[in-house]
Coordinates of all heavy atoms in Angstrom, one line a residue:
M11 N 9.1 -7.1 -10.4 CA 8.0 -7.9 -9.7 C 8.1 -7.6 -8.2 O 7.1 -7.5 -7.6 CB 8.2 -9.4 -10.0 CG 7.1 -10.2 -9.5 SD 5.5 -10.0 -10.2 CE 5.7 -11.0 -11.6
S12 N 9.3 -7.6 -7.6 CA 9.4 -7.4 -6.2 C 8.8 -6.1 -5.8 O 8.1 -6.0 -4.8 CB 10.9 -7.5 -5.8 OG 11.4 -8.7 -6.0
R13 N 9.1 -5.1 -6.6 CA 8.6 -3.7 -6.3 C 7.0 -3.7 -6.4 O 6.4 -3.2 -5.5 CB 9.2 -2.7 -7.3 CG 8.8 -1.3 -6.9 CD 9.4 -0.2 -7.9 NE 9.1 -0.5 -9.3 CZ 10.1 -0.7 -10.2 NH1 11.3 -0.7 -9.9 NH2 9.7 -1.0 -11.5
E14 N 6.5 -4.3 -7.4 CA 5.0 -4.4 -7.5 C 4.4 -5.1 -6.4 O 3.3 -4.7 -5.9 CB 4.6 -5.0 -8.9 CG 5.0 -4.1 -10.1 CD 4.2 -2.8 -10.1 OE1 3.0 -2.8 -9.7 OE2 4.8 -1.8 -10.4
L15 N 5.0 -6.2 -5.9 CA 4.4 -7.0 -4.8 C 4.8 -6.5 -3.5 O 4.3 -6.9 -2.5 CB 4.9 -8.4 -5.0 CG 4.4 -9.2 -6.2 CD1 5.1 -10.6 -6.2 CD2 2.9 -9.4 -6.1
R16 N 5.7 -5.5 -3.5 CA 6.3 -4.9 -2.2 C 6.8 -6.1 -1.4 O 6.5 -6.2 -0.2 CB 5.2 -4.1 -1.5 CG 4.8 -2.9 -2.2 CD 3.7 -2.1 -1.5 NE 3.4 -0.9 -2.2 CZ 2.4 -0.7 -3.0 NH1 1.7 -1.7 -3.4 NH2 2.2 0.5 -3.6
S17 N 7.7 -6.8 -2.0 CA 8.3 -8.0 -1.4 C 9.8 -8.0 -1.6 O 10.3 -7.4 -2.6 CB 7.6 -9.3 -1.9 OG 8.1 -10.4 -1.3
H18 N 10.5 -8.8 -0.8 CA 11.9 -8.9 -0.9 C 12.2 -9.8 -2.2 O 11.5 -10.7 -2.5 CB 12.5 -9.6 0.3 CG 14.0 -9.6 0.3 ND1 14.8 -10.5 -0.3 CD2 14.8 -8.7 1.0 CE1 16.0 -10.2 -0.1 NE2 16.1 -9.1 0.7
P19 N 13.2 -9.4 -3.0 CA 13.5 -10.1 -4.2 C 13.7 -11.7 -4.0 O 13.3 -12.4 -4.9 CB 14.8 -9.5 -4.7 CG 14.8 -8.1 -4.1 CD 14.1 -8.3 -2.8
V20 N 14.3 -12.1 -2.9 CA 14.4 -13.5 -2.7 C 13.1 -14.2 -2.5 O 12.8 -15.3 -3.1 CB 15.3 -13.8 -1.4 CG1 15.3 -15.2 -1.0 CG2 16.7 -13.3 -1.6
A21 N 12.2 -13.6 -1.8 CA 10.8 -14.1 -1.6 C 10.1 -14.1 -3.0 O 9.4 -15.1 -3.3 CB 10.0 -13.3 -0.6
T22 N 10.2 -13.1 -3.8 CA 9.6 -13.0 -5.1 C 10.1 -14.1 -6.0 O 9.4 -14.8 -6.7 CB 9.8 -11.6 -5.7 OG1 9.3 -10.7 -4.8 CG2 9.1 -11.5 -7.0
T23 N 11.4 -14.3 -6.0 CA 12.0 -15.4 -6.8 C 11.5 -16.7 -6.4 O 11.1 -17.5 -7.3 CB 13.6 -15.3 -6.7 OG1 14.0 -14.1 -7.1 CG2 14.2 -16.4 -7.5
K24 N 11.4 -17.0 -5.1 CA 10.8 -18.3 -4.7 C 9.4 -18.4 -5.2 O 9.0 -19.5 -5.6 CB 10.9 -18.4 -3.1 CG 12.2 -18.7 -2.6 CD 12.2 -18.8 -1.1 CE 13.5 -19.0 -0.5 NZ 13.5 -19.1 1.0
L25 N 8.6 -17.4 -5.0 CA 7.2 -17.4 -5.5 C 7.1 -17.7 -7.0 O 6.3 -18.5 -7.4 CB 6.5 -16.1 -5.1 CG 5.1 -15.9 -5.7 CD1 4.1 -16.9 -5.1 CD2 4.6 -14.5 -5.5
M26 N 7.9 -17.0 -7.8 CA 7.8 -17.2 -9.2 C 8.3 -18.6 -9.6 O 7.7 -19.2 -10.5 CB 8.7 -16.1 -9.9 CG 8.2 -14.7 -9.7 SD 6.4 -14.5 -10.1 CE 6.4 -14.8 -11.9
K27 N 9.3 -19.1 -8.9 CA 9.7 -20.5 -9.2 C 8.6 -21.5 -8.9 O 8.4 -22.5 -9.6 CB 11.0 -20.8 -8.4 CG 12.3 -20.2 -9.0 CD 13.5 -20.6 -8.2 CE 14.7 -20.0 -8.7 NZ 15.9 -20.3 -8.0
R28 N 7.9 -21.2 -7.8 CA 6.8 -22.1 -7.4 C 5.7 -22.0 -8.4 O 5.1 -23.1 -8.8 CB 6.3 -21.7 -6.0 CG 5.4 -22.7 -5.4 CD 5.2 -22.4 -3.9 NE 4.0 -23.0 -3.5 CZ 3.3 -22.7 -2.4 NH1 3.7 -21.7 -1.7 NH2 2.2 -23.3 -2.1
L29 N 5.4 -20.8 -8.9 CA 4.3 -20.7 -9.9 C 4.7 -21.4 -11.2 O 3.9 -22.0 -11.9 CB 4.0 -19.2 -10.1 CG 3.3 -18.5 -9.0 CD1 3.3 -17.0 -9.3 CD2 1.9 -19.0 -8.9
A30 N 6.0 -21.4 -11.5 CA 6.5 -22.1 -12.7 C 6.4 -23.6 -12.5 O 5.9 -24.3 -13.5 CB 7.9 -21.7 -13.0
E31 N 6.7 -24.1 -11.4 CA 6.6 -25.5 -11.1 C 5.2 -26.0 -11.2 O 4.9 -27.1 -11.6 CB 7.2 -25.8 -9.7 CG 8.7 -25.7 -9.6 CD 9.2 -25.7 -8.2 OE1 8.4 -25.8 -7.2 OE2 10.4 -25.6 -8.0
Q32 N 4.3 -25.1 -10.8 CA 2.9 -25.5 -10.8 C 2.2 -25.3 -12.1 O 1.0 -25.6 -12.3 CB 2.1 -24.8 -9.6 CG 2.6 -25.2 -8.3 CD 2.0 -24.4 -7.2 OE1 1.3 -23.3 -7.4 NE2 2.2 -24.8 -5.9
G33 N 2.9 -24.7 -13.1 CA 2.3 -24.5 -14.4 C 1.6 -23.3 -14.7 O 0.8 -23.2 -15.6
F34 N 1.8 -22.2 -13.8 CA 1.1 -20.9 -14.1 C 1.9 -20.0 -15.0 O 1.4 -19.3 -15.8 CB 0.9 -20.2 -12.8 CG -0.3 -20.7 -12.0 CD1 -0.1 -21.7 -11.0 CD2 -1.5 -20.2 -12.2 CE1 -1.2 -22.2 -10.3 CE2 -2.6 -20.7 -11.5 CZ -2.4 -21.7 -10.5
V35 N 3.3 -20.0 -14.8 CA 4.1 -19.2 -15.6 C 5.3 -20.0 -16.2 O 5.5 -21.1 -15.8 CB 4.7 -18.0 -14.7 CG1 3.6 -17.1 -14.1 CG2 5.6 -18.6 -13.6
C36 N 6.0 -19.3 -17.1 CA 7.2 -20.0 -17.6 C 8.4 -19.0 -17.6 O 8.1 -17.8 -17.7 CB 7.0 -20.5 -19.0 SG 6.7 -19.3 -20.3
L37 N 9.6 -19.5 -17.5 CA 10.8 -18.7 -17.5 C 11.3 -18.7 -19.0 O 11.6 -19.8 -19.5 CB 11.8 -19.2 -16.5 CG 13.1 -18.4 -16.3 CD1 12.8 -17.0 -15.8 CD2 14.0 -19.2 -15.4
N38 N 11.5 -17.5 -19.6 CA 12.0 -17.5 -21.0 C 13.5 -17.4 -21.0 O 14.2 -17.3 -19.9 CB 11.3 -16.4 -21.8 CG 11.6 -15.0 -21.3 OD1 12.6 -14.7 -20.7 ND2 10.7 -14.1 -21.5
E39 N 14.1 -17.3 -22.2 CA 15.5 -17.3 -22.3 C 16.2 -16.0 -21.8 O 17.4 -16.0 -21.5 CB 15.9 -17.5 -23.8 CG 15.4 -16.4 -24.7 CD 14.0 -16.6 -25.2 OE1 13.4 -17.6 -25.0 OE2 13.5 -15.6 -25.8
N40 N 15.4 -15.0 -21.6 CA 15.9 -13.7 -21.0 C 15.8 -13.7 -19.5 O 16.0 -12.6 -18.9 CB 15.2 -12.5 -21.6 CG 15.4 -12.4 -23.1 OD1 16.5 -12.7 -23.6 ND2 14.4 -11.9 -23.8
E41 N 15.5 -14.8 -18.9 CA 15.3 -14.9 -17.5 C 14.1 -14.1 -17.0 O 14.1 -13.6 -15.9 CB 16.6 -14.5 -16.7 CG 17.8 -15.4 -17.0 CD 17.6 -16.8 -16.5 OE1 17.2 -17.0 -15.3 OE2 17.9 -17.8 -17.2
N42 N 13.1 -13.9 -17.8 CA 11.9 -13.2 -17.4 C 10.7 -14.2 -17.4 O 10.7 -15.2 -18.2 CB 11.5 -12.1 -18.5 CG 12.5 -11.0 -18.5 OD1 13.0 -10.6 -17.4 ND2 12.9 -10.6 -19.6
Y43 N 9.8 -14.0 -16.5 CA 8.7 -14.9 -16.4 C 7.5 -14.3 -17.2 O 7.3 -13.1 -17.2 CB 8.2 -15.0 -14.9 CG 9.2 -15.9 -14.1 CD1 10.2 -15.3 -13.3 CD2 9.0 -17.3 -14.0 CE1 11.1 -16.1 -12.6 CE2 9.9 -18.0 -13.3 CZ 10.9 -17.5 -12.5 OH 11.7 -18.2 -11.8
S44 N 6.8 -15.2 -17.8 CA 5.6 -14.9 -18.5 C 4.4 -15.8 -18.1 O 4.6 -16.9 -17.7 CB 5.8 -15.1 -20.0 OG 6.8 -14.3 -20.5
Y45 N 3.2 -15.2 -18.1 CA 2.0 -15.9 -17.8 C 1.8 -16.9 -18.9 O 1.6 -16.5 -20.1 CB 0.8 -15.0 -17.5 CG -0.5 -15.7 -17.3 CD1 -0.6 -16.5 -16.1 CD2 -1.5 -15.7 -18.3 CE1 -1.8 -17.1 -15.9 CE2 -2.7 -16.4 -18.0 CZ -2.8 -17.1 -16.9 OH -4.0 -17.8 -16.7
K46 N 1.9 -18.2 -18.6 CA 1.7 -19.2 -19.7 C 1.2 -20.4 -19.0 O 2.0 -21.4 -18.7 CB 2.9 -19.4 -20.5 CG 2.7 -20.3 -21.7 CD 3.9 -20.4 -22.5 CE 3.6 -21.2 -23.8 NZ 4.8 -21.4 -24.6
P47 N -0.1 -20.5 -18.6 CA -0.6 -21.6 -17.8 C -0.7 -22.9 -18.7 O -0.8 -22.8 -19.9 CB -2.0 -21.2 -17.4 CG -2.4 -20.2 -18.4 CD -1.1 -19.5 -18.9
N48 N -0.6 -24.0 -18.0 CA -0.8 -25.3 -18.7 C -2.3 -25.3 -19.0 O -3.1 -24.6 -18.5 CB -0.3 -26.5 -17.9 CG -1.0 -26.7 -16.6 OD1 -2.2 -26.5 -16.5 ND2 -0.3 -27.1 -15.6
P49 N -2.7 -26.2 -19.9 CA -4.1 -26.3 -20.3 C -5.1 -26.5 -19.2 O -6.2 -25.9 -19.2 CB -4.1 -27.5 -21.3 CG -2.7 -27.6 -21.9 CD -1.9 -27.2 -20.7
E50 N -4.8 -27.3 -18.2 CA -5.7 -27.5 -17.1 C -5.9 -26.3 -16.3 O -7.0 -25.9 -16.0 CB -5.1 -28.6 -16.2 CG -6.0 -29.0 -15.0 CD -5.4 -30.0 -14.1 OE1 -4.3 -30.5 -14.3 OE2 -6.1 -30.4 -13.2
I51 N -4.8 -25.6 -16.0 CA -4.9 -24.3 -15.2 C -5.6 -23.3 -16.0 O -6.5 -22.5 -15.5 CB -3.5 -23.8 -14.7 CG1 -3.0 -24.8 -13.7 CG2 -3.6 -22.4 -14.2 CD1 -1.6 -24.6 -13.2
E52 N -5.3 -23.2 -17.3 CA -6.0 -22.2 -18.2 C -7.5 -22.4 -18.2 O -8.2 -21.4 -18.1 CB -5.4 -22.3 -19.6 CG -6.0 -21.2 -20.5 CD -5.3 -21.2 -21.9 OE1 -4.7 -22.2 -22.3 OE2 -5.4 -20.1 -22.5
S53 N -7.9 -23.6 -18.2 CA -9.3 -24.0 -18.2 C -10.0 -23.5 -16.9 O -11.1 -22.9 -16.9 CB -9.5 -25.5 -18.4 OG -10.9 -25.8 -18.2
M54 N -9.3 -23.7 -15.7 CA -9.8 -23.3 -14.5 C -9.8 -21.8 -14.3 O -10.8 -21.2 -13.8 CB -8.9 -23.9 -13.3 CG -9.2 -25.4 -13.1 SD -8.3 -26.0 -11.7 CE -6.7 -26.3 -12.3
V55 N -8.8 -21.1 -14.8 CA -8.8 -19.7 -14.8 C -9.9 -19.1 -15.6 O -10.6 -18.1 -15.1 CB -7.4 -19.1 -15.3 CG1 -7.5 -17.6 -15.5 CG2 -6.3 -19.5 -14.3
K56 N -10.2 -19.6 -16.8 CA -11.3 -19.2 -17.6 C -12.6 -19.4 -16.9 O -13.5 -18.5 -16.9 CB -11.3 -19.9 -18.9 CG -10.2 -19.4 -19.9 CD -10.3 -20.1 -21.2 CE -9.2 -19.6 -22.1 NZ -9.2 -20.3 -23.4
A57 N -12.8 -20.5 -16.2 CA -14.0 -20.8 -15.5 C -14.2 -19.8 -14.3 O -15.3 -19.3 -14.1 CB -14.0 -22.2 -15.0
I58 N -13.2 -19.5 -13.6 CA -13.2 -18.6 -12.5 C -13.5 -17.2 -13.1 O -14.3 -16.4 -12.5 CB -11.9 -18.6 -11.7 CG1 -11.8 -19.9 -10.9 CG2 -11.9 -17.4 -10.7 CD1 -10.5 -20.1 -10.3
Y59 N -13.0 -16.8 -14.2 CA -13.2 -15.5 -14.8 C -14.7 -15.4 -15.2 O -15.3 -14.4 -14.9 CB -12.4 -15.3 -16.0 CG -12.6 -14.0 -16.8 CD1 -12.2 -12.8 -16.3 CD2 -13.4 -14.0 -17.9 CE1 -12.5 -11.7 -17.0 CE2 -13.7 -12.9 -18.6 CZ -13.2 -11.7 -18.1 OH -13.5 -10.5 -18.8
I60 N -15.3 -16.4 -15.7 CA -16.7 -16.4 -16.1 C -17.5 -16.3 -14.9 O -18.5 -15.5 -14.8 CB -17.1 -17.6 -16.9 CG1 -16.4 -17.5 -18.3 CG2 -18.6 -17.8 -17.1 CD1 -16.4 -18.8 -19.1
L61 N -17.2 -17.1 -13.8 CA -18.0 -17.0 -12.6 C -17.9 -15.6 -12.0 O -18.8 -15.1 -11.5 CB -17.4 -18.1 -11.6 CG -18.2 -18.1 -10.3 CD1 -19.6 -18.5 -10.5 CD2 -17.5 -19.2 -9.4
Y62 N -16.7 -15.0 -12.0 CA -16.5 -13.7 -11.5 C -17.3 -12.7 -12.2 O -17.8 -11.7 -11.6 CB -15.0 -13.3 -11.5 CG -14.7 -11.9 -11.0 CD1 -14.7 -11.7 -9.6 CD2 -14.5 -10.8 -11.8 CE1 -14.4 -10.5 -9.0 CE2 -14.3 -9.6 -11.2 CZ -14.2 -9.4 -9.9 OH -14.0 -8.2 -9.4
Q63 N -17.5 -12.8 -13.5 CA -18.4 -11.9 -14.3 C -19.8 -12.0 -13.8 O -20.5 -11.0 -13.8 CB -18.3 -12.2 -15.8 CG -16.9 -12.0 -16.4 CD -16.4 -10.6 -16.2 OE1 -17.0 -9.7 -16.5 NE2 -15.1 -10.6 -15.7
E64 N -20.2 -13.2 -13.4 CA -21.6 -13.4 -13.0 C -21.8 -13.1 -11.5 O -22.9 -12.6 -11.1 CB -22.0 -14.9 -13.3 CG -22.0 -15.2 -14.8 CD -22.2 -16.7 -15.1 OE1 -22.3 -17.5 -14.1 OE2 -22.1 -17.0 -16.2
K65 N -20.9 -13.5 -10.7 CA -21.0 -13.4 -9.2 C -19.7 -12.9 -8.6 O -19.1 -13.7 -7.8 CB -21.4 -14.7 -8.6 CG -22.7 -15.2 -9.2 CD -23.1 -16.6 -8.6 CE -24.5 -17.0 -9.2 NZ -25.0 -18.1 -8.5
P66 N -19.3 -11.7 -8.8 CA -18.1 -11.2 -8.3 C -18.0 -11.2 -6.7 O -16.9 -11.6 -6.2 CB -17.9 -9.8 -8.8 CG -19.3 -9.4 -9.1 CD -20.1 -10.6 -9.5
V67 N -19.0 -10.9 -6.0 CA -19.0 -10.9 -4.6 C -18.8 -12.3 -4.0 O -18.0 -12.5 -3.1 CB -20.3 -10.3 -4.0 CG1 -20.3 -10.4 -2.5 CG2 -20.5 -8.9 -4.4
A68 N -19.4 -13.3 -4.6 CA -19.2 -14.7 -4.2 C -17.7 -15.1 -4.4 O -17.2 -15.8 -3.5 CB -20.1 -15.6 -4.9
V69 N -17.1 -14.8 -5.5 CA -15.7 -15.1 -5.8 C -14.8 -14.4 -4.8 O -13.9 -15.1 -4.2 CB -15.3 -14.8 -7.2 CG1 -13.9 -15.0 -7.5 CG2 -16.2 -15.7 -8.2
I70 N -15.0 -13.2 -4.6 CA -14.2 -12.4 -3.6 C -14.3 -13.0 -2.2 O -13.4 -13.2 -1.5 CB -14.5 -10.9 -3.7 CG1 -14.1 -10.4 -5.0 CG2 -13.8 -10.2 -2.5 CD1 -14.6 -9.0 -5.3
A71 N -15.6 -13.3 -1.8 CA -15.8 -13.9 -0.5 C -15.1 -15.2 -0.4 O -14.5 -15.5 0.7 CB -17.3 -14.0 -0.3
C72 N -15.1 -16.0 -1.4 CA -14.4 -17.3 -1.4 C -12.9 -17.1 -1.2 O -12.3 -17.9 -0.4 CB -14.7 -18.0 -2.7 SG -14.0 -19.7 -2.7
I73 N -12.4 -16.1 -1.8 CA -10.9 -15.9 -1.7 C -10.6 -15.4 -0.3 O -9.6 -15.9 0.3 CB -10.5 -14.8 -2.7 CG1 -10.6 -15.4 -4.1 CG2 -9.1 -14.3 -2.4 CD1 -10.5 -14.3 -5.2
Y74 N -11.4 -14.6 0.3 CA -11.0 -14.0 1.6 C -11.6 -14.7 2.8 O -11.2 -14.5 3.9 CB -11.4 -12.5 1.6 CG -10.5 -11.7 0.8 CD1 -10.9 -11.2 -0.5 CD2 -9.3 -11.3 1.3 CE1 -10.0 -10.5 -1.2 CE2 -8.4 -10.6 0.5 CZ -8.8 -10.2 -0.8 OH -7.9 -9.4 -1.5
D75 N -12.6 -15.6 2.6 CA -13.1 -16.3 3.7 C -12.1 -17.2 4.4 O -11.2 -17.8 3.7 CB -14.3 -17.2 3.3 CG -15.6 -16.3 3.2 OD1 -15.6 -15.2 3.6 OD2 -16.6 -16.9 2.7
K76 N -12.2 -17.4 5.7 CA -11.3 -18.3 6.4 C -11.8 -19.7 6.1 O -13.0 -20.0 5.9 CB -11.4 -18.1 7.9 CG -10.8 -16.7 8.3 CD -10.9 -16.5 9.8 CE -10.3 -15.2 10.1 NZ -10.4 -14.9 11.6
P77 N -10.9 -20.7 6.1 CA -11.3 -22.1 5.8 C -12.2 -22.6 6.9 O -12.2 -22.2 8.0 CB -9.9 -22.8 5.9 CG -8.9 -21.8 5.8 CD -9.4 -20.5 6.3
N78 N -13.1 -23.4 6.4 CA -14.1 -24.0 7.3 C -13.4 -25.0 8.3 O -12.6 -25.8 7.9 CB -15.1 -24.8 6.5 CG -16.2 -25.4 7.3 OD1 -16.0 -25.9 8.4 ND2 -17.4 -25.4 6.8
D79 N -13.5 -24.7 9.6 CA -12.8 -25.5 10.6 C -13.2 -27.0 10.5 O -12.3 -27.9 10.7 CB -13.1 -25.0 12.0 CG -12.4 -23.7 12.3 OD1 -11.4 -23.4 11.6 OD2 -12.9 -23.0 13.2
K80 N -14.4 -27.3 10.2 CA -14.8 -28.7 10.1 C -14.1 -29.4 8.9 O -13.6 -30.5 9.0 CB -16.3 -28.9 9.9 CG -17.1 -28.5 11.2 CD -18.6 -28.7 10.9 CE -19.3 -28.3 12.2 NZ -20.8 -28.4 12.0
L81 N -14.0 -28.7 7.8 CA -13.4 -29.2 6.6 C -11.9 -29.3 6.9 O -11.3 -30.3 6.5 CB -13.6 -28.2 5.4 CG -13.0 -28.7 4.1 CD1 -13.6 -30.0 3.6 CD2 -13.3 -27.6 3.0
K82 N -11.3 -28.4 7.6 CA -9.9 -28.5 7.9 C -9.6 -29.7 8.8 O -8.7 -30.4 8.6 CB -9.4 -27.2 8.6 CG -7.9 -27.2 8.8 CD -7.4 -25.9 9.4 CE -5.9 -25.9 9.7 NZ -5.2 -27.1 9.9
G83 N -10.5 -29.9 9.8 CA -10.4 -31.0 10.7 C -10.4 -32.3 9.9 O -9.7 -33.3 10.2
F84 N -11.3 -32.4 9.0 CA -11.5 -33.6 8.2 C -10.2 -33.8 7.3 O -9.7 -34.9 7.3 CB -12.7 -33.5 7.2 CG -12.9 -34.6 6.3 CD1 -13.4 -35.8 6.8 CD2 -12.5 -34.5 5.0 CE1 -13.6 -36.9 5.9 CE2 -12.7 -35.6 4.1 CZ -13.2 -36.8 4.6
A85 N -9.7 -32.8 6.7 CA -8.4 -32.9 5.9 C -7.3 -33.3 6.8 O -6.4 -34.1 6.4 CB -8.2 -31.6 5.2
D86 N -7.2 -32.7 8.0 CA -6.1 -33.0 8.9 C -6.1 -34.5 9.3 O -5.0 -35.0 9.7 CB -6.1 -32.1 10.2 CG -5.8 -30.7 9.9 OD1 -5.2 -30.4 8.8 OD2 -6.0 -29.8 10.7
A87 N -7.2 -35.1 9.3 CA -7.3 -36.5 9.7 C -6.5 -37.4 8.8 O -6.2 -38.5 9.1 CB -8.8 -36.9 9.8
F88 N -6.3 -36.9 7.6 CA -5.6 -37.7 6.6 C -4.1 -37.4 6.5 O -3.4 -38.0 5.7 CB -6.2 -37.5 5.2 CG -7.6 -38.1 5.1 CD1 -8.7 -37.3 5.4 CD2 -7.8 -39.4 4.9 CE1 -10.0 -37.8 5.3 CE2 -9.1 -40.0 4.8 CZ -10.2 -39.1 5.0
K89 N -3.6 -36.5 7.3 CA -2.2 -36.2 7.4 C -1.4 -37.4 8.0 O -1.8 -38.0 9.0 CB -1.9 -35.0 8.2 CG -2.3 -33.7 7.5 CD -1.9 -32.5 8.3 CE -2.3 -31.2 7.6 NZ -1.9 -30.0 8.4
L90 N -0.3 -37.7 7.4 CA 0.6 -38.8 7.9 C 1.4 -38.2 8.9 O 2.0 -37.2 8.8 CB 1.4 -39.4 6.7 CG 0.6 -40.0 5.6 CD1 1.6 -40.5 4.5 CD2 -0.2 -41.2 6.1
K91 N 1.5 -39.0 10.0 CA 2.4 -38.5 11.1 C 3.6 -39.4 11.2 O 3.5 -40.6 11.0 CB 1.6 -38.6 12.5 CG 0.4 -37.7 12.5 CD -0.4 -37.8 13.8 CE -1.6 -36.9 13.8 NZ -2.4 -37.0 14.9
K92 N 4.7 -38.8 11.6 CA 5.9 -39.6 11.8 C 5.9 -40.1 13.2 O 5.7 -39.4 14.1 CB 7.2 -38.7 11.6 CG 7.4 -38.3 10.1 CD 8.6 -37.5 10.0 CE 8.8 -37.1 8.5 NZ 10.0 -36.3 8.3
D93 N 6.1 -41.4 13.3 CA 6.1 -42.0 14.7 C 7.5 -42.5 15.0 O 8.3 -42.8 14.3 CB 5.1 -43.2 14.8 CG 3.7 -42.7 14.7 OD1 3.4 -41.6 15.2 OD2 2.9 -43.5 14.2

């Protein structure tokens, strides 16, 4: 996986653990990861796949577009600050 991602093995391991925690992949008894999303994620992936079939440019643009500054500002307003 590290070779395919052109990433350091430690970084790849962290990424895969995070994907497992979030329900995208699972770690099997051979210490290999497999794509096995939980039902909620699987439903979202299918919906995105269907949308991509219909509007690939819109999906790609959404992936690569920078976040909207107004939306980010709104979200930042809800961050808890340590005083």
Side-chain angles (χ1 to χ4, degrees):
M11 183 69 85
S12 296
R13 185 177 57 237
E14 290 297 320
L15 293 173
R16 294 180 176 93
S17 180
H18 192 276
V20 172
T22 303
T23 299
K24 285 182 183 180
L25 172 65
M26 296 307 294
K27 284 182 180 179
R28 190 168 163 201
L29 288 172
E31 290 168 0
Q32 294 175 350
F34 283 92
V35 298
C36 66
L37 183 62
N38 64 30
E39 62 277 351
N40 296 329
E41 298 293 313
N42 293 318
Y43 287 95
S44 299
Y45 176 69
K46 189 173 183 183
N48 65 37
E50 181 182 3
I51 291 174
E52 185 174 21
S53 175
M54 286 187 278
V55 168
K56 285 180 181 178
I58 293 168
Y59 176 77
I60 291 168
L61 182 61
Y62 181 77
Q63 298 302 310
E64 297 170 3
K65 299 181 179 189
V67 174
V69 173
I70 292 169
C72 183
I73 292 168
Y74 286 102
D75 279 351
K76 293 182 181 177
N78 183 320
D79 288 337
K80 290 180 183 178
L81 183 59
K82 184 176 179 339
F84 178 75
D86 287 347
F88 293 94
K89 286 185 178 178
L90 298 176
K91 296 178 182 177
K92 292 182 183 179
D93 291 328

